[in-house]
Amino acid sequence: RPRPPQRPVEARPPRRRRRRPPHPAHHQLLRRVGEDPLLLLLLAAAARPRRHARRVAAGEDSAGCRPGAGRRPPGRARLRLGRSAGRREADQEEEEEEAAAAMGGAGSRLPRDLLGEYQELTFLSKQEILLAHRRFSDLLPKEERERACLARLTRSQMLTLPELRANPFRQRICRVFSTAADGEDSLSFEDFLDMLSVFSDAATPEVKSHYAFRIFDFDDDGTLGKKDLENLVNCLTGEGEESRLSPVEMDQLIQNILEESDIDKDGTINLSEFQHIISRSPDFPSSFKIVL
């Protein structure tokens, strides 16, 4: 006996996972500041579910460091974070000829031995170091350009650099990378190289996240508290009254960020917790950069 025709089985569409809607303050913040990558990093930290929280709560960050390191940031990286030897050897021959030609120009007074040493101790290529030396010299008065390696740029001189002038954290960047003992945030040429090295494409995510944490730590106490987060958001939204969040919106946003990021529930974000946030944002290393 022939079987009756079977009704075709309709394929059910896959069930979509419902996402938690962002806080209303997030909509307000996005509407006011647009597509700022640093702001989106904060919002992603507050909106995404926590993963590997047990590992972080147990005492390790994304780089395997203990959270106690976040209380007191280690000494400045200051030309101590060199690129791998393999990369240096691979591009050394390619860069040697161009670098030698550039060193002979009238605008360069950087000795060859210093050029090689700076390349060994930074993430910068020889061309990038020579360009940095030229840009640094251009910011100095003419009578000081011959000894640019020994001169210092004041903070006001440094902030005339177009790449820094538009950065909302320009004041904090000068403070973090300055080695001046007088508190005036002046930068030497090596300080300038430190800054460009950290903000370069070749710098590792661990180095970038460490210095991002220091830049966002406005009171330099080794943690990101509520006041630090408030200053951070205000830098992103701008100084105008129309662009700033209301006190209620600010409190709601900061509370939500701490709720999702403060794993040990001490009311602050330490370095390991911050690096855990960064590890969930693959776009952070590419957005945290300054290119001359």
Side-chain angles (χ1 to χ4, degrees):
R1 179 182 298 181
R3 296 181 179 179
Q6 296 182 354
R7 297 177 60 182
V9 179
E10 297 181 359
R12 295 182 179 179
R15 296 182 61 181
R16 295 185 178 181
R17 189 175 182 179
R18 296 183 61 183
R19 295 183 179 180
R20 179 178 56 180
H23 196 277
H26 296 177
H27 291 296
Q28 185 77 357
L29 198 54
L30 282 174
R31 182 179 65 82
R32 293 183 178 182
V33 300
E35 297 297 325
D36 192 297
L38 290 176
L39 175 63
L40 295 180
L41 173 64
L42 280 179
L43 300 185
R48 293 181 183 177
R50 287 177 294 178
R51 295 182 179 177
H52 313 295
R54 293 181 180 177
R55 180 171 61 86
V56 177
E60 294 186 358
D61 61 5
S62 58
C65 301
R66 306 296 297 183
R71 301 296 179 185
R72 182 183 296 273
R76 297 185 57 229
R78 153 155 229 82
L79 307 177
R80 298 292 183 262
L81 301 163
R83 302 174 306 159
S84 64
R87 178 178 174 182
R88 290 195 302 269
E89 294 174 359
D91 61 10
Q92 183 175 6
E93 295 182 0
E94 179 182 350
E95 296 173 346
E96 186 72 29
E97 187 174 340
E98 295 182 9
M103 288 174 59
S108 175
R109 296 291 184 271
L110 192 61
R112 180 182 293 272
D113 56 342
L114 279 180
L115 180 63
E117 180 180 352
Y118 290 151
Q119 189 189 13
E120 288 283 334
L121 299 174
T122 67
F123 295 102
L124 303 174
S125 65
K126 290 183 179 180
Q127 288 88 345
E128 291 171 331
I129 296 172
L130 291 171
L131 176 60
H133 184 263
R134 181 173 63 82
R135 295 293 299 275
F136 185 87
S137 300
D138 291 343
L139 297 176
L140 291 168
K142 291 184 179 180
E143 60 272 13
E144 298 184 19
R145 293 179 182 176
E146 292 295 327
R147 52 184 185 88
C149 290
L150 302 178
R152 301 189 73 90
L153 285 173
T154 65
R155 182 173 59 185
S156 59
Q157 289 174 320
M158 181 61 62
L159 294 183
T160 61
L161 195 69
E163 292 80 3
L164 275 181
R165 190 188 311 153
N167 193 301
F169 300 98
R170 53 190 175 274
Q171 305 285 348
R172 286 294 304 164
I173 291 174
C174 291
R175 171 62 58 88
V176 167
F177 288 97
S178 173
T179 57
D182 55 6
E184 297 296 326
D185 299 341
S186 62
L187 276 79
S188 67
F189 177 60
E190 290 189 354
D191 297 339
F192 188 60
L193 283 185
D194 277 348
M195 179 189 73
L196 295 179
S197 179
V198 169
F199 283 98
S200 68
D201 288 329
T204 64
E206 290 76 13
V207 171
K208 287 179 177 288
S209 61
H210 169 74
Y211 277 93
F213 182 85
R214 291 187 60 187
I215 291 170
F216 298 159
D217 183 14
F218 286 82
D219 54 9
D220 296 316
D221 65 347
T223 61
L224 302 184
K226 293 183 178 180
K227 192 61 178 179
D228 293 319
L229 295 175
E230 181 178 344
N231 290 332
L232 195 159
V233 174
N234 285 335
C235 284
L236 293 172
T237 56
E239 299 296 332
E241 292 294 332
E242 296 182 356
S243 62
R244 285 182 179 269
L245 294 180
S246 68
V248 174
E249 292 171 336
M250 181 68 75
D251 290 341
Q252 290 175 341
L253 179 60
I254 292 177
Q255 185 64 32
N256 204 25
I257 292 175
L258 288 175
E259 179 184 348
E260 296 294 337
S261 307
D262 181 18
I263 297 176
D264 58 9
K265 303 303 179 184
D266 63 349
T268 62
I269 300 175
N270 59 36
L271 177 60
S272 62
E273 291 167 338
F274 181 78
Q275 289 179 327
H276 179 61
I277 299 172
I278 298 300
S279 67
R280 295 180 292 173
S281 180
D283 295 333
F284 173 76
S286 61
S287 63
F288 191 77
K289 67 179 180 179
I290 295 176
V291 181
L292 295 180

